[in-house]
Amino acid sequence: MEELLEKLETYRREIRETELTNPDAAESYRIRFLGTKGIVKNLFHEMKTVPAEKKKEFGQILNEFKLFAESKYEEAKSINHQPSTINQIDWSLPGDPIPLGTRHPISLVRNRIVEIFGRLGFSVAEGPEIEDDWHNFTGLNMPADHPARDMQDTFYIHQNPDWLLRTHTSSVQARVMEKQKPPIRIICPGRVYRNETVSARAHCFFHQTEGLYIDENVSFADLKQTLYFFVQEMFGKSVKPRFRPSYFPFTEPSAEMDINCLICGGAGCNVCKHTGWVEILGSGMVHPKMLQNFHIDPNKYTGFAFGMGVERICQLKYRINDLRLYSQNDLRFLRQFVAAD
Ligand code: DAH
């Protein structure tokens, strides 16, 4: 018994002094102390030599020793399992770079449009992309049989013949006029949809920004001045704008605005169809019928409206010759755009 206790003390010391800093050392330790032919097992065998009246006491001592030997091993296992052993990491190594994305050119140009009109007091209004007939067409002076509906190939929604994907952001004008009394001065950026075959020049979805200004004494001169200011801020003072008479059911009179082609500089290209001019927006004085539709008194108020294609503006600003590039998600294309100034 004395002898056994001494042995135990020696083993305890050995266990305390052993360093199990790697998996191999821990494994040898396990085999030596806890294995099927290991020290702990042998000590239990030696119980036979202990006199009967001491068995209980020695049994307890041996159990404690067993727990002590096991806990050393468990501790070593948990330390050795820490990811790649914390002490082996070189904290002075440079970190993995986190690549920063860039904004999509359409977003950059949209933000720029909003910012320019923001300086003139226009605030942003939004509306749904799934619209009803009234807000997209009828309320805008385009009843069911109106020929102008053919100008826009519309996606209708199966479940309800009254629902469609908005073909223009003019639908937001309708929604704002319905709720708000003049003065109204809003800009409405958003996505629109038309059933067009995708090509370098057309897409089945694209972006527009609508503008609407209604107050007392708003004139065509205000419309021109506002849009001149806009193109100069967007493209620089040397841009050449021109107005052409046009037709839209929701404005009277109506005009389209062109600017000189910034892609070919007037030499002629596929974007300006070799004319040197590119149309960027439609506009006009809000039709009195429209004002009446939305319970705004046309004898008291007048207004102007315009709608521009964001892809077109972006195309001229960054000289992009194919509309499909905007939605192909090619990083070589997308990484080139840093900021629209
Ligand atoms: N909604 C027209 C289109 O998509 C653009 C437009 C023209 C908007 C004249 C207007 C406007 O607000 O007054 O072609």
Side-chain angles (χ1 to χ4, degrees):
M1 173 86 185
E2 283 305 307
E3 222 178 286
L4 269 176
L5 288 176
E6 256 172 48
K7 243 202 240 176
L8 270 182
E9 198 39 51
T10 320
Y11 287 141
R12 273 209 198 89
R13 205 174 314 121
E14 181 186 334
I15 292 175
R16 260 184 249 117
E17 286 165 8
T18 314
E19 288 199 4
L20 305 180
T21 45
N22 62 66
D24 288 345
E27 183 58 9
S28 326
Y29 170 89
R30 189 190 64 77
I31 294 166
R32 176 163 161 73
F33 282 94
L34 308 169
T36 38
K37 291 179 188 153
I39 289 166
V40 171
K41 274 267 157 55
N42 288 338
L43 287 169
F44 274 98
H45 282 308
E46 291 192 39
M47 279 280 276
K48 284 183 269 164
T49 64
V50 176
E53 71 279 9
K54 294 271 183 186
K55 269 202 167 49
K56 193 176 166 207
E57 188 195 343
F58 189 71
Q60 271 178 2
I61 294 175
L62 214 51
N63 268 327
E64 273 168 32
F65 175 76
K66 184 182 170 214
L67 289 176
F68 175 61
E70 282 174 350
S71 68
K72 172 92 180 182
Y73 177 66
E74 292 302 323
E75 192 189 328
K77 239 179 23 181
S78 75
I79 289 174
N80 289 332
H81 267 91
Q82 302 234 329
S84 69
T85 334
I86 261 170
N87 295 336
Q88 288 169 13
I89 295 174
D90 179 354
W91 296 103
S92 66
L93 285 174
D96 290 333
I98 300 169
L100 257 194
T102 53
R103 286 206 193 281
H104 194 282
I106 294 294
S107 303
L108 289 174
V109 168
R110 190 224 18 234
N111 292 349
R112 179 83 174 134
I113 295 171
V114 168
E115 186 264 320
I116 294 170
F117 283 102
R119 278 190 266 145
L120 296 176
F122 286 76
S123 54
V124 172
E126 286 179 325
E129 291 182 15
I130 297 177
E131 255 308 355
D132 53 39
D133 183 276
W134 169 257
H135 293 97
N136 195 81
F137 288 129
T138 308
L140 302 176
N141 206 18
M142 275 192 268
D145 53 357
H146 199 286
R149 285 195 180 208
D150 294 345
M151 284 158 60
Q152 308 180 354
D153 293 311
T154 310
F155 285 118
Y156 285 92
I157 289 173
H158 276 315
Q159 284 86 341
N160 187 333
D162 195 45
W163 292 347
L164 45 87
L165 295 182
R166 67 179 178 195
T167 57
H168 52 184
T169 43
S170 304
S171 58
V172 186
Q173 277 192 27
R175 288 196 171 266
V176 170
M177 286 163 82
E178 188 170 70
K179 288 221 194 73
Q180 206 180 310
K181 292 282 148 254
I184 295 173
R185 206 185 300 169
I186 49 148
I187 194 95
C188 328
R191 184 176 279 191
V192 301
Y193 302 83
R194 289 186 199 179
N195 190 1
E196 304 249 11
T197 309
V198 176
S199 71
R201 307 179 54 88
H203 211 293
C204 56
F205 66 79
F206 53 99
H207 299 78
Q208 288 189 334
T209 300
E210 193 79 9
L212 177 68
Y213 178 27
I214 303 177
D215 203 346
E216 291 177 38
N217 301 318
V218 176
S219 70
F220 200 86
D222 296 322
L223 162 66
K224 280 181 92 171
Q225 205 48 52
T226 303
L227 294 177
Y228 281 152
F229 174 78
F230 165 71
V231 286
Q232 289 191 353
E233 289 301 298
M234 180 57 92
F235 297 108
K237 298 268 186 257
S238 58
V239 68
K240 282 199 241 87
R242 78 174 185 190
F243 275 92
R244 271 181 298 107
S246 183
Y247 171 78
F248 296 102
F250 27 87
T251 44
E252 183 58 36
S254 305
E256 280 172 311
M257 190 189 204
D258 302 337
I259 63 166
N260 54 313
C261 183
L262 301 173
I263 293 187
C264 64
C269 67
N270 68 331
V271 173
C272 65
K273 295 187 206 147
H274 301 276
T275 63
W277 296 95
V278 187
E279 179 211 322
I280 59 164
L281 57 83
S283 65
M285 300 305 291
V286 179
H287 200 296
K289 187 97 186 294
M290 267 261 300
L291 296 173
Q292 271 164 353
N293 281 350
F294 295 100
H295 312 293
I296 294 172
D297 181 358
N299 295 316
K300 184 164 179 207
Y301 295 106
T302 50
F304 67 73
F306 56 89
M308 64 181 80
V310 180
E311 274 78 356
R312 183 57 66 78
I313 307 268
C314 190
Q315 178 168 43
L316 292 165
K317 183 144 186 86
Y318 292 119
R319 307 200 158 108
I320 295 164
N321 61 3
D322 190 330
L323 281 183
R324 288 168 293 195
L325 287 165
Y326 291 130
S327 50
Q328 281 167 342
N329 278 339
D330 185 333
L331 289 178
R332 291 169 303 174
F333 172 74
L334 294 173
R335 284 205 178 114
Q336 298 174 70
F337 306 95
V338 179
D341 49 13

